[in-house]
Amino acid sequence: MAVRLLIFGRQGAGKGTQSTRLSERYGAPHISTGDMLRAAVANATPIGLEAKSYMDAGQLVPDEVMLGVVEERLAEPDVVEHGFLLDGFPRTVVQAEALGRFATVDVAVDIVVPEEVVLERISSRRVCGSCGRIYSVQAPPERDWTCDTCGGEVVQRADDTPEAVAKRLAAYASETQPTIDWYADAGLLVKVDGLGTPDEVSERLTAAIDAHLAR
Ligand SMILES: [Zn+2]
């Protein structure tokens, strides 16, 4: 059965980890906005080239171009056969309405983590500058902020400062939250508590999705 899923969650809610797990569980390709754009550009499709012209100019890819990229990706055979797990799109109500014109969504999941918990998680996060491995103040590398995997320097990311995080959370509240509410109004939303271990959260997620799909 091809399952068509959307995943929402604030940065720091564990969306990346859970997306990987859900994609495996349901056999649906995990499609993130960034990967999709990179692929469209690499494949030099007409819409990919258009997106590239904005990216090269350091501009945001406009909605209508992004929609073209999404529509193109969702028409590919792996999606037609296995469904999709769309991550990072739609971000706005306008995008959600447009997506509905060419794709059916079975379930939209929202991983709910209180803002103060997300802030705490992000501000304690540290990352290896060489290989990208993630650590935290609570779970540092074994030796003096030197990566256990590659020996690189483990630091705080420049965009993980409290000011930058607050800005991203505000954008989420003003744009993405209304989009989540839009899916709730459409009867497609499943909300899951994102607190606890990754295993606990993924058990909750699959139970809630299965229950929704069985309706
Ligand atoms: Zn490393």
Side-chain angles (χ1 to χ4, degrees):
M1 181 182 62
V3 180
R4 294 152 300 191
L5 300 168
L6 305 181
I7 188 160
F8 292 103
R10 290 193 179 97
Q11 193 193 19
K15 189 160 65 84
T17 306
Q18 298 302 333
S19 291
T20 306
R21 292 176 175 219
L22 287 176
S23 172
E24 282 167 13
R25 168 78 164 69
Y26 293 99
H30 175 204
I31 301 174
S32 78
T33 313
D35 290 347
M36 197 162 34
L37 272 173
R38 277 188 288 276
V41 170
N43 295 336
T45 64
I47 199 85
L49 292 175
E50 204 180 336
K52 185 176 186 300
S53 69
Y54 290 97
M55 290 154 76
D56 286 348
Q59 293 171 346
L60 278 178
V61 177
D63 260 9
E64 67 272 19
V65 177
M66 196 58 222
L67 274 161
V69 171
V70 175
E71 186 167 11
E72 203 170 71
R73 180 65 187 92
L74 297 189
E76 284 177 27
D78 62 331
V79 169
V80 173
E81 190 174 348
H82 302 292
F84 56 79
L85 171 65
L86 201 50
D87 170 8
F89 190 93
R91 266 187 318 101
T92 64
V93 171
V94 170
Q95 290 179 348
E97 286 169 348
L99 177 68
R101 290 197 273 276
F102 60 83
T104 301
V105 170
D106 298 310
V107 186
V109 296
D110 183 20
I111 304 177
V112 182
V113 173
E115 195 163 307
E116 60 273 20
V117 175
V118 168
L119 270 170
E120 165 61 29
R121 282 185 188 174
I122 297 174
S123 62
S124 69
R125 181 164 64 186
R126 300 293 182 270
V127 60
C128 170
S130 303
C131 75
R133 181 165 166 185
I134 297 196
Y135 298 88
S136 73
V137 172
Q138 292 79 20
E142 281 186 27
R143 296 186 293 116
D144 195 27
W145 299 105
T146 301
C147 180
D148 294 337
T149 306
C150 76
E153 192 187 356
V154 175
V155 296
Q156 183 168 38
R157 251 194 294 234
D159 60 351
D160 281 353
T161 61
E163 300 74 35
V165 173
K167 210 171 160 186
R168 291 199 297 272
L169 288 174
Y172 192 86
S174 66
E175 290 199 330
T176 309
Q177 193 57 50
T179 314
I180 296 170
D181 298 342
W182 189 86
Y183 283 103
D185 291 343
L188 293 172
L189 187 72
V190 162
K191 272 190 182 187
V192 173
D193 178 2
L195 295 180
T197 66
D199 283 345
E200 286 165 353
V201 176
S202 63
E203 268 173 42
R204 264 176 234 146
L205 272 170
T206 51
I209 292 169
D210 289 346
H212 188 95
L213 292 173
R215 292 201 312 195

